[in-house]
């Protein structure tokens, strides 16, 4: 379940303007919202790495790794990409590769500095059943060996996509911005992240409205959420 952007915006306004500290414009909020969502999303991958080092809880609903994977699941995409050359264009909304398969065989990623050595040895040279790829700088990968068929070859690309950019849409009536759900884009994060989004946006807003106490209160809220989750 996604997080309603209007609920987050109203909470942020209420907390930031509790003592007439300052007003956060919709434009500012949308910038903060995008940054806050990306920070939380990127922390999932760090959380997976840390959770894998801990003992697994026998109850799936209480297992940290299971919970993070549940939050990442909506961003998991399996896409078929075709090419008839050594270059394969990666999906434009891709954030992190999970794996790439060729005829059911997983392709191994090789560093650009290593490929010359692996390709020059008969023992490590890539084959159709033991393929490799190198990441390039412009959303491309180079495949080894390159497709040899006259027809385009299909590759299965599994990846995590980037979250859509959140946007609080509005119309101006009597010089006041009112929420417009038809032009809004909700957060794509799990519903449990609503409070984290509010606090992270407040921290960013505190810089803009020059109110350190807003930042401090938001930081305390984030810390309290972490303690509750880890207890």
């Amino acid at each position: 379940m996604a997080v309603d952007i209007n609920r987050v915006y109203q909470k942020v306004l209420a907390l930031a303007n509790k003592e007439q500290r300052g007003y956060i414009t919709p434009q500012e909020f949308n910038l903060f919202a995008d940054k806050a969502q990306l920070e939380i999303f990127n922390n999932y991958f760090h959380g997976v790495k840390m959770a894998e080092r801990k003992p697994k809880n026998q109850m799936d609903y209480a297992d940290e790794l299971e919970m993070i994977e549940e939050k990442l699941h909506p961003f998991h995409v399996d896409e078929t990409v075709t090419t008839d050359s050594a270059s394969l264009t990666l999906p434009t909304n891709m954030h992190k590769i999970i794996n790439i398969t060729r005829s059911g065989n997983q392709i191994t990623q090789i560093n650009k500095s290593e490929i010359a050595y692996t390709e020059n040895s008969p023992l490590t040279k890539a084959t159709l059943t033991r393929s490799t790829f190198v990441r390039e700088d412009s959303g491309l990968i180079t495949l080894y060996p390159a497709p040899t068929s006259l027809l385009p070859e299909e590759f299965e690309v599994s990846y995590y996509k980037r979250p859509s950019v959140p946007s609080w849409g509005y119309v101006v009536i009597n010089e006041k911005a009112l929420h417009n759900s038809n032009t809004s884009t909700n957060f794509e994060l799990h519903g449990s992240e609503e409070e984290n989004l509010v606090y992270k946006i407040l921290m960013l807003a505190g810089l803009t409205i020059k109110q350190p106490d807003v930042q401090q209160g938001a930081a305390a809220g984030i810390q309290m959420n972490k303690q509750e989750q880890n207890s």
Side-chain angles (χ1 to χ4, degrees):
M1 181 180 67
V3 179
D4 187 292
I5 195 165
N6 188 47
R7 282 175 54 87
V8 174
Y9 187 39
Q10 298 307 325
K11 286 184 178 181
V12 168
L13 286 183
L15 292 169
N17 205 29
K18 187 176 180 181
E19 297 175 3
Q20 302 299 314
R21 293 184 177 102
Y23 177 67
I24 302 168
T25 68
Q27 294 87 350
E28 291 170 337
F29 172 82
N30 285 337
L31 289 174
F32 300 153
D34 185 33
K35 180 172 175 57
Q37 177 172 248
L38 285 175
E39 283 184 5
I40 293 173
F41 180 68
N42 284 322
N43 280 337
Y44 289 159
F45 300 101
H46 175 70
V48 167
K49 182 176 66 175
M50 299 303 294
E52 286 177 338
R53 299 176 181 175
K54 299 178 181 178
K56 187 173 177 64
N57 194 308
Q58 293 182 349
M59 297 178 292
D60 287 347
Y61 69 88
D63 185 77
E64 186 175 350
L65 183 58
E66 291 285 344
M67 289 189 287
I68 298 173
E69 288 178 344
E70 179 184 348
K71 293 177 180 181
L72 280 170
H73 180 70
F75 302 99
H76 186 154
V77 179
D78 295 318
E79 185 172 330
T80 299
V81 182
T82 61
T83 184
D84 57 2
S85 69
S87 295
L88 181 70
T89 302
L90 296 171
T92 55
N93 66 338
M94 189 184 75
H95 181 79
K96 183 178 180 63
I97 289 179
I98 299 173
N99 59 59
I100 302 176
T101 58
R102 181 182 207 169
S103 301
N105 298 306
Q106 185 168 326
I107 305 177
T108 303
Q109 181 172 344
I110 299 292
N111 292 333
K112 200 175 270 190
S113 59
E114 298 173 339
I115 195 65
Y117 297 102
T118 59
E119 284 299 292
N120 285 329
S121 169
L123 295 176
T124 57
K125 187 177 177 66
T127 66
L128 290 175
T129 57
R130 186 169 47 80
S131 302
T132 59
F133 73 89
V134 171
R135 292 287 296 267
E136 305 295 347
D137 299 330
S138 54
L140 299 173
I141 65 172
T142 300
L143 298 161
Y144 297 87
T148 56
S149 172
L150 296 177
L151 297 175
E153 189 176 346
E154 292 186 347
F155 296 83
E156 186 77 16
V157 182
S158 296
Y159 64 95
Y160 290 111
K161 71 180 185 70
R162 284 191 298 274
S164 299
V165 177
S167 176
W168 189 80
Y170 64 96
V171 292
V172 178
I173 299 177
N174 295 328
E175 299 183 356
K176 184 177 181 180
L178 299 178
H179 180 234
N180 183 356
S181 60
N182 293 326
T183 59
S184 294
T185 302
N186 288 326
F187 296 97
E188 285 196 278
L189 299 180
H190 191 274
S192 64
E193 298 292 5
E194 182 173 317
E195 295 305 310
N196 278 337
L197 284 166
V198 170
Y199 290 132
K200 281 187 174 293
I201 293 170
L202 275 173
M203 285 188 65
L204 295 168
L207 288 170
T208 300
I209 60 180
K210 298 180 181 179
Q211 294 292 340
D213 58 328
V214 173
Q215 291 176 277
Q216 293 164 5
I222 291 173
Q223 186 61 33
M224 183 174 64
N225 275 353
K226 286 183 179 179
Q227 290 174 352
E228 289 176 352
Q229 291 171 2
N230 294 330
S231 61

